[in-house]
């Protein structure tokens, strides 16, 4: 009997259209529904019985906490209650890494969950969406894909949701894991793994979103030369922000003007995690900053650090305990 795979569509370039076969920009993302996507790749039925669901149909630059929560809840229901063998999510590439990492922390199953998308719209003569979807279903049906955490498949690469990031605005080969590398590769529908992730994920995280309708407000601020007086941090805090992620320079350095304001806001219970605007390498905090309560994001980029900080704040607002989450997940 073939495995049963659920494909959940959220929109994005893979569902994008434009009135030109040669155009790869200027298209409308999320224009096609899931039935059209599935009809374009009938070969996936060789791997599995397919069930499709339309979760949203948006440009992923407009992804929201609400959609991510709904997506995670739907996946958990399908995998735990409805005996689905694996899930594929079609997603826009702009925020794919954020949704993938969110699912990596909130899906409570060791069955495969794979995100894929496209860099070129469905109407392009060089559309990459069909092959990416084919590969994603091949991966979701592979027995070795269990307990690997949530994965991303783009341009034949298999990447971990924990480490993958978009590194090019337009190229087909746009996703990499700068420090970690690929989990594996797909060739003509055959799956090859040659790496594994040691960070805990899915069933081994404490983040249960079943009863959550919203998430703590967490924002990201950039640090740069001649950074201002901290007006942005103050404004966000006054508007209800509970946590901030700072995209620091170098190994997580923060302009002194910004840092002074952050120290004052932290005394008022603002939680601050320090990441880096650099794509590769570890953040390093001084002993003084650690003692003040700054949280080291380790090797998580700012957008993923925001995801983990949001979920951490659903558990507690103790910076030392949250720091442990950043070490483990």
């Amino acid at each position: 009997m073939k495995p049963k795979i659920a494909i959940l569509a959220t929109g994005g370039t893979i569902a994008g259209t434009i009135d030109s076969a040669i155009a790869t920009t200027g298209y409308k993302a999320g224009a096609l529904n899931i039935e059209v996507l599935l009809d374009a790749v009938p070969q996936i039925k060789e791997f599995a019985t397919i069930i499709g669901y339309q979760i949203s149909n948006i440009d992923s630059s407009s992804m929201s906490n609400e959609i991510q929560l709904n997506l995670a809840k739907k996946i958990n229901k399908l995998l735990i209650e409805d005996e689905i063998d694996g899930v594929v999510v079609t997603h826009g590439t702009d925020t794919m890494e954020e949704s993938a990492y969110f699912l990596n922390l909130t899906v409570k199953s060791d069955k495969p969950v794979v995100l894929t998308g496209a860099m070129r719209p469905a109407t392009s003569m060089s559309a990459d969406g069909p092959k990416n979807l084919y590969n994603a279903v091949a991966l979701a049906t592979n027995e070795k894909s269990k307990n690997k955490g949530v994965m991303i498949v783009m341009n034949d690469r298999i990447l971990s949701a924990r480490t993958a990031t978009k590194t090019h605005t337009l190229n087909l080969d746009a996703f990499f894991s700068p420090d970690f590398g690929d989990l594996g590769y797909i060739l003509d529908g055959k799956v090859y793994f040659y790496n594994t992730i040691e960070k805990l994920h899915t069933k081994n995280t404490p983040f249960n979103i079943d009863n959550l309708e919203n998430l703590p407000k967490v924002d990201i601020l950039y640090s740069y030369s001649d950074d201002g007086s901290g007006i942005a941090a103050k404004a966000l805090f006054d508007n209800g922000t509970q946590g901030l992620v700072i995209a620091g320079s170098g190994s997580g350095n923060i302009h002194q003007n910004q840092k002074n304001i952050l120290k004052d806001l932290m005394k008022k219970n603002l939680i601050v995690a320090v990441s880096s605007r650099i794509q590769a390498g570890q953040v390093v905090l001084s002993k003084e900053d650690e003692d003040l309560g700054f949280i080291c994001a380790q090797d998580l980029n700012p957008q993923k650090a925001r995801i983990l900080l949001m979920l951490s704040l659903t558990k507690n607002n103790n910076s030392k305990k949250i720091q442990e989450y950043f070490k483990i997940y």
Side-chain angles (χ1 to χ4, degrees):
M1 183 180 294
K2 291 181 181 178
K4 188 183 292 185
I5 299 297
I7 299 182
L8 281 59
T10 66
T13 300
I14 194 171
T17 62
I18 190 171
D19 294 332
S20 171
I22 62 171
T24 57
T25 62
Y27 53 86
K28 176 177 173 53
L32 305 176
N33 62 33
I34 189 168
E35 286 77 17
V36 177
L37 298 186
L38 299 183
D39 288 345
V41 198
Q43 295 85 354
I44 59 177
K45 295 176 182 177
E46 299 170 8
F47 290 113
T49 300
I50 304 295
I51 304 172
Y53 299 90
Q54 192 80 47
I55 301 299
S56 64
N57 215 355
I58 62 167
D59 185 317
S60 77
S61 61
S62 295
M63 182 53 63
S64 67
N65 293 349
E66 179 184 7
I67 295 174
Q68 288 173 336
L69 280 169
N70 289 340
L71 184 59
K73 289 176 182 179
K74 182 66 173 179
I75 291 172
N76 279 331
K77 183 176 185 299
L78 288 168
L79 293 180
I80 296 169
E81 298 178 17
D82 293 351
E83 298 182 352
I84 294 292
D85 295 298
V87 168
V88 170
V89 178
T90 60
H91 197 291
T93 59
D94 281 5
T95 56
M96 183 187 290
E97 65 195 84
E98 294 168 65
S99 293
Y101 188 48
F102 183 84
L103 296 175
N104 196 57
L105 296 171
T106 57
V107 167
K108 297 306 174 189
S109 173
D110 59 5
K111 296 177 183 178
V113 176
V114 182
L115 278 76
T116 195
M119 294 301 295
R120 294 178 180 171
T123 50
S124 171
M125 69 169 68
S126 55
D128 54 323
K131 182 64 180 297
N132 286 338
L133 182 56
Y134 177 81
N135 282 343
V137 174
L139 182 61
T141 58
N142 190 283
E143 190 67 26
K144 293 181 180 179
S145 294
K146 290 183 178 180
N147 202 30
K148 290 282 199 301
V150 174
M151 292 174 282
I152 289 174
V153 168
M154 291 289 291
N155 203 39
D156 299 334
R157 296 176 182 272
I158 306 170
L159 303 120
S160 166
R162 170 64 172 68
T163 61
T165 189
K166 188 175 182 179
T167 59
H168 198 283
T169 57
L170 297 172
N171 277 0
L172 296 184
D173 203 15
F175 280 78
F176 287 88
S177 294
D179 286 320
F180 183 77
D182 298 347
L183 286 176
Y185 193 78
I186 300 179
L187 178 62
D188 296 336
K190 295 181 181 179
V191 175
Y192 300 91
F193 283 108
Y194 45 72
N195 205 352
T196 188
I197 189 84
E198 293 186 358
K199 295 285 187 178
L200 298 183
H201 53 73
T202 53
K203 291 171 68 175
N204 295 313
T205 78
F207 308 117
N208 189 323
I209 47 85
D210 288 347
N211 298 316
L212 292 179
E213 297 301 325
N214 49 60
L215 291 165
K217 183 170 171 53
V218 175
D219 292 292
I220 300 172
L221 285 179
Y222 218 74
S223 185
Y224 49 91
S225 63
D226 202 37
D227 199 348
S229 60
I231 293 173
K234 286 180 185 175
L236 288 168
F237 182 72
D238 290 342
N239 194 45
T241 292
Q242 296 170 249
L244 275 179
V245 175
I246 307 302
S249 57
S251 58
N253 299 306
I254 305 171
H255 194 289
Q256 196 60 50
N257 293 342
Q258 179 80 287
K259 195 174 217 179
N260 288 336
I261 296 300
L262 291 173
K263 289 177 183 178
D264 290 338
L265 294 175
M266 288 164 68
K267 294 174 183 176
K268 300 176 183 178
N269 296 322
L270 177 70
I271 303 297
V272 180
V274 183
S275 180
S276 175
R277 63 191 200 183
I278 311 300
Q279 281 196 334
Q282 290 273 344
V283 167
V284 179
L285 296 188
S286 67
K287 179 66 164 56
E288 178 186 1
D289 285 347
E290 290 177 354
D291 291 343
L292 285 169
F294 285 98
I295 296 164
C296 177
Q298 309 265 303
D299 59 338
L300 283 178
N301 63 27
Q303 54 269 34
K304 289 188 183 179
R306 174 184 168 271
I307 296 293
L308 181 52
L309 185 53
M310 275 197 307
L311 289 169
S312 297
L313 287 169
T314 67
K315 304 296 292 182
N316 65 77
N317 63 352
N318 182 294
S319 62
K320 292 190 182 303
K321 291 181 179 179
I322 293 174
Q323 180 66 80
E324 290 304 308
Y325 292 151
F326 274 82
K327 292 177 181 178
I328 298 170
Y329 309 112

